[in-house]
Amino acid sequence: MDSVKLAMTRSFDLQIRHTRRLTPQDQARFVTAVSQFNQDPANPGLNFEKLDGGPKSNLWSLRASQELRILLAVDDSQFVFVNAGHHDAMYDWAKRRDHYVDLASEVLADLQVTVPDIPLSLKRASKGKPHHPSLAELREQEPGTPPYPPPAAETPPTGPSLIQDLIWRVFRGDFEDWQLFLYPDQKPLVSRHWSGAARIRGAAGTGKTVIGLHRLAELARRYPDDTVLFTSNSRSLAELLERRFRNLPMAPSNVEFANIDRIVYKYDSWTPAHFSLVDQTFEAACKELVAGFLLERINPDYLKEEIERVIKGNDLQSLDHYLSVERIGRKRSLSQDLRKQVWELYELWAGKLSERNAVTFADKRIRVRDSVQKLAQAPYRCVVVDEAQDVTLVELQLVRALVAGDPQNPVPKDGILILDDPAQRIYPGGYRLGWAGVDITGRAQVLRKNYRNVPAVYRAAKRIRGNELVTMEHEDDKYILDAELGFPDREDEKPILALVDRDGEFLYLGEKIRDICAAENYSTDEIAVFLKHNSQVYASISFLQSHGISCARLTRDGFAGDGIRVGTYDRARGLEFRAVFLPCLGATQFPDISGETDGEGQEFDPDQDLESRQLELDRLYVAMTRARELLLLIADEEPCEEVRRALGEEIILRDLRGQPIADSTPSL
């Protein structure tokens, strides 16, 4: 028997061990397969076979799972592991190289493999005594013919205890790996073939975005000659998820990430939106029309949202249409007389915009939707829409046009995947899928289990938010989604509300950040601070940096700088962190809402106040559920009633007023 030496290239070593490029379960499968080959190359479960090719061919394939393959170059007296990845990608890689790797040009290292501590369901027991076949024995096999009959299709672990064990191990492992971890029972949603548009919805922490990223990779491999798109209405979310996607193993290149407004810029070369002019013209229209009218009772911001999110967001073409439209997502009822005045304000504003040659983004979205619907060929094969609860009808119509073109064309198979949760809506307005020509009959899935948050964090967030829906009840949004909790409950994981002395919030925040970084092995990019207003964001960053704590501000373009992540509640969507801090939660700071205008004695509608308040609670709910393990709320006064109702049962109160706070300044 020939002596067989096992070796690997440097690139292979990096590929199977660099966890940022592999999901934990895939990495475990690769390492386990290599270890089993080391013990017994004849193990039938490995399906070791030579690839097709000419006389120069030296590549063989090793089966790590039903979808994963490892490639070896067999040359003289050594087997060299050269690449690993998904089946189709590996076979394409081999074909491009004529099934040959020149080992003389590679940096090789002796192979040393240990099996990681992984669930038994991921390990494959060797059969028979270890046996290293000779090269002569291997070369006698016909190319493409396995040495043993192929094993039955792999069955992933389905037992609740095995799945729970796997998830718990990954949860306690590398945080970046966790952000790409696909739960075993969600894998079918990634590989499914849908005949048209589909929707996956679920409460916070149920894995919608992770499914979307893996689905995106699957679609890109399924349609390699086309481009697939990931979009949302948040630019920062799209750009951050693009970086996360590139860490997937063998991430396809025919994938584009762009938020909806970036798509608008791509297809619209007309007058750019000018935010200051837009605001100035609206204020001028209000001063000219609102005084003395019934509209004077309504907050100007509410009126602007009504025009941009209801009238323009639904592209209403006439007063009659506006008078009859169902104002989904708006609790404040508007009488026919009030709607007529809102329409008059809309037309007056439009005239002033035209005079100043100014264009709102809502108008640009309408124009781009119309342009894309007229294209001879749809620009994308598939699109995944994340946080879809916050897009308008026009934006959803644009998404449909990106894959189907004309509204009369059907959505192609696998064409649209909608990811949403009505409880996380942070912008007013809404739509029915049918209004956009999107039919998901038989292709709607609801996720039922939260695996992101420790139970105490999820329960506290849900208790504060309550069960009120901003949207009106209809077939698309008729209930608040709840989720089963995926981990055992522990008393020491309950969120804390710290009451501190007046103006002591940031000082206490800095102290606690230094404490957990020193004691709990948290890295700065695993910690986030979220606040309601941008002014609070700037103030907190200024204070923390002056006390030696580096910060990275979450902007429209992603994170600016390195350090603790700091941003508004709105920028928190789609993200997750091990620890989240929420200062400025005193009752006069949150929820800072009122249906009244600044004038004295002006009345406000309680439904308008309820809508605004609920949207503020939705934003706080989003921020709270970004915390995987540790959640700390901070206030320098008594909190609002919604936070108070969670105290004792879901949130621990620590009244630190009158107690000194350390002001040490070690750098982070």
Side-chain angles (χ1 to χ4, degrees):
M1 181 184 299
D2 294 345
S3 174
V4 176
K5 176 183 178 182
L6 296 180
M8 61 183 170
T9 62
R10 176 181 296 176
S11 60
F12 177 84
D13 179 52
L14 290 174
Q15 186 157 2
I16 68 166
R17 295 178 186 276
H18 192 353
T19 58
R20 293 187 179 185
R21 296 187 58 188
L22 296 173
T23 61
Q25 65 269 42
D26 284 353
Q27 185 199 31
R29 291 181 191 278
F30 282 134
V31 174
T32 300
V34 170
S35 180
Q36 290 173 349
F37 185 84
N38 185 37
Q39 297 173 25
D40 180 13
N43 184 338
L46 298 174
N47 199 26
F48 186 48
E49 61 176 305
K50 193 174 189 300
L51 300 184
D52 294 329
K56 192 178 180 181
S57 171
N58 68 346
L59 286 181
W60 292 64
S61 171
L62 193 67
R63 181 181 183 274
S65 75
Q66 189 164 347
E67 294 185 5
L68 304 175
R69 296 294 183 270
I70 298 173
L71 298 185
L72 297 89
V74 179
D75 192 6
D76 296 330
S77 61
Q78 62 181 351
F79 292 174
V80 181
F81 293 83
V82 295
N83 206 348
H86 285 265
H87 176 283
D88 292 347
M90 289 298 93
Y91 278 68
D92 289 344
W93 185 88
K95 186 176 180 180
R96 290 196 301 269
R97 288 159 178 76
D98 294 325
H99 301 88
Y100 173 76
V101 171
D102 181 10
L103 296 178
S105 63
E106 296 284 348
V107 178
L108 305 183
D110 290 340
L111 186 67
Q112 295 180 347
V113 178
T114 58
V115 179
D117 184 14
I118 57 176
L120 292 176
S121 58
L122 296 184
K123 298 181 181 178
R124 301 289 181 268
S126 296
K127 297 181 180 180
K129 296 180 179 180
H131 168 63
H132 290 272
S134 68
L135 294 179
E137 290 176 310
L138 292 171
R139 288 172 180 143
E140 287 176 359
Q141 301 168 15
E142 291 295 325
T145 303
Y148 295 91
E154 177 188 13
T155 302
T158 56
S161 61
L162 293 177
I163 293 177
Q164 180 69 33
D165 184 31
L166 170 63
I167 293 170
W168 187 248
R169 290 173 187 269
V170 180
F171 183 87
R172 294 303 184 191
D174 184 86
F175 185 64
E176 289 201 29
D177 289 341
W178 173 253
Q179 292 177 308
L180 286 171
F181 176 65
L182 183 68
Y183 316 128
D185 58 349
Q186 294 176 348
K187 191 173 181 180
L189 295 176
V190 171
S191 58
R192 183 166 300 177
H193 290 260
W194 274 305
S195 58
R199 182 180 68 190
I200 298 175
R201 62 178 10 177
T206 52
K208 298 181 296 296
T209 298
V210 174
I211 291 174
L213 294 178
H214 285 273
R215 175 71 175 173
L216 200 68
E218 165 68 19
L219 293 173
R221 287 189 285 266
R222 188 177 295 176
Y223 305 105
D225 297 327
D226 300 302
T227 303
V228 298
L229 171 70
F230 179 98
T231 191
S232 73
N233 67 359
S234 169
R235 177 176 175 180
S236 58
L237 177 61
E239 296 193 359
L240 288 166
L241 291 181
E242 180 175 12
R243 295 173 203 157
R244 191 180 300 176
F245 175 82
R246 301 306 174 192
N247 286 331
L248 284 172
M250 309 299 292
S253 59
N254 57 323
V255 173
E256 183 178 327
F257 283 74
N259 71 308
I260 289 174
D261 284 346
R262 181 177 171 186
I263 294 169
V264 169
Y265 275 125
K266 181 176 181 179
Y267 291 98
D268 181 10
S269 59
W270 297 322
T271 307
H274 196 301
F275 297 111
S276 61
L277 277 180
V278 167
D279 291 340
Q280 290 169 15
T281 53
F282 180 75
E283 291 172 3
C286 285
K287 289 180 180 178
E288 184 174 329
L289 179 66
V290 171
F293 279 65
L294 292 174
L295 293 185
E296 193 172 17
R297 301 177 181 176
I298 303 177
N299 188 300
D301 290 340
Y302 191 93
L303 293 174
K304 188 177 182 183
E305 289 173 346
E306 180 75 12
I307 294 173
E308 293 197 314
R309 302 284 299 183
V310 178
I311 295 178
K312 294 184 179 183
N314 289 284
D315 190 20
L316 304 182
Q317 296 293 316
S318 68
L319 172 60
D320 288 342
H321 195 180
Y322 179 50
L323 291 175
S324 61
V325 74
E326 181 183 3
R327 297 167 57 250
I328 295 175
R330 307 243 80 179
K331 285 190 173 295
R332 191 195 204 286
S333 60
L334 293 181
S335 66
Q336 295 289 288
D337 287 341
L338 278 173
R339 291 199 195 195
K340 289 177 182 178
Q341 291 183 20
V342 171
W343 188 266
E344 189 176 348
L345 177 62
Y346 156 65
E347 291 185 323
L348 179 60
W349 184 24
K352 292 184 178 296
L353 287 169
S354 179
E355 292 172 2
R356 301 290 298 273
N357 197 30
V359 179
T360 69
F361 249 111
D363 292 319
K364 289 172 72 68
R365 295 180 191 113
I366 293 171
R367 297 195 306 203
V368 169
R369 177 206 61 187
D370 295 344
S371 297
V372 175
Q373 287 176 343
K374 296 174 184 177
L375 293 176
Q377 183 175 355
Y380 299 98
R381 177 59 183 79
C382 311
V383 59
V384 175
V385 193
D386 200 10
E387 305 292 350
Q389 72 274 357
D390 278 320
V391 304
T392 64
L393 175 63
V394 166
E395 291 169 337
L396 187 60
Q397 290 170 332
L398 169 58
V399 166
R400 189 189 190 283
L402 291 172
V403 297
D406 190 278
Q408 301 303 314
N409 295 337
V411 174
K413 64 179 182 179
D414 300 325
I416 300 174
L417 177 60
I418 297 169
L419 308 172
D420 74 353
D421 173 16
Q424 296 186 68
R425 180 176 282 116
I426 63 174
Y427 296 122
Y431 56 84
R432 294 178 187 265
L433 291 177
W435 294 354
V438 176
D439 181 12
I440 59 169
T441 304
R443 298 181 297 276
Q445 301 288 324
V446 177
L447 304 179
R448 303 290 184 186
K449 184 161 288 190
N450 176 305
Y451 278 119
R452 175 198 293 152
N453 313 111
V454 295
V457 167
Y458 178 74
R459 281 203 308 269
K462 189 171 184 296
R463 181 69 175 271
I464 289 176
R465 188 201 178 279
N467 291 318
E468 184 71 28
L469 264 179
V470 170
T471 56
M472 299 171 67
E473 290 191 1
H474 55 83
E475 65 268 23
D476 288 336
D477 277 344
K478 60 184 179 181
Y479 53 85
I480 284 287
L481 298 174
D482 201 357
E484 302 172 27
L485 300 172
F487 301 114
D489 205 0
R490 290 172 48 182
E491 183 70 21
D492 61 353
E493 291 175 332
K494 278 189 176 183
I496 294 171
L497 169 65
L499 286 180
V500 298
D501 290 328
R502 179 69 63 180
D503 300 325
E505 293 169 303
F506 292 158
L507 191 62
Y508 182 74
L509 171 66
E511 178 190 69
K512 301 313 292 182
I513 288 175
R514 285 190 291 266
D515 285 348
I516 69 164
C517 286
E520 302 292 342
N521 195 30
Y522 282 71
S523 61
T524 55
D525 60 356
E526 295 174 344
I527 303 170
V529 178
F530 292 118
L531 305 106
K532 181 181 175 183
H533 298 296
N534 272 315
S535 59
Q536 296 170 332
V537 170
Y538 292 123
S540 64
I541 289 176
S542 176
F543 182 91
L544 292 174
Q545 288 183 334
S546 70
H547 286 68
I549 299 176
S550 59
C551 297
R553 183 169 66 90
L554 181 55
T555 69
R556 286 171 54 88
D557 303 318
F559 288 113
D562 295 317
I564 304 298
R565 298 351 193 174
V566 186
T568 61
Y569 298 161
D570 289 8
R571 299 288 178 208
R573 290 179 304 161
L575 306 179
E576 63 180 294
F577 301 88
R578 291 183 62 198
V580 168
F581 295 87
L582 303 175
C584 302
L585 282 178
T588 60
Q589 295 176 292
F590 179 89
D592 178 23
I593 55 93
S594 173
E596 295 189 42
T597 59
D598 295 333
E600 294 183 2
Q602 294 174 325
E603 299 178 356
F604 68 93
D605 189 303
D607 286 337
Q608 176 185 331
D609 187 62
L610 177 60
E611 178 183 329
S612 299
R613 191 177 189 90
Q614 188 59 56
L615 284 170
E616 292 302 312
L617 292 171
D618 286 351
R619 292 183 172 100
L620 179 60
Y621 171 81
V622 169
M624 292 178 70
T625 54
R626 301 311 96 188
R628 191 179 78 161
E629 304 159 39
L630 188 152
L631 176 62
L632 177 62
L633 290 65
I634 309 173
D636 62 3
E637 60 179 335
E638 292 292 330
C640 65
E641 61 180 293
E642 289 86 357
V643 174
R644 288 201 306 271
R645 71 188 177 198
L647 295 177
E649 295 186 29
E650 311 296 350
I651 298 178
I652 298 172
L653 174 64
R654 289 186 180 169
D655 192 339
L656 305 176
R657 289 173 290 189
Q659 299 183 25
I661 298 175
D663 190 15
S664 56
T665 57
S667 297
L668 290 180

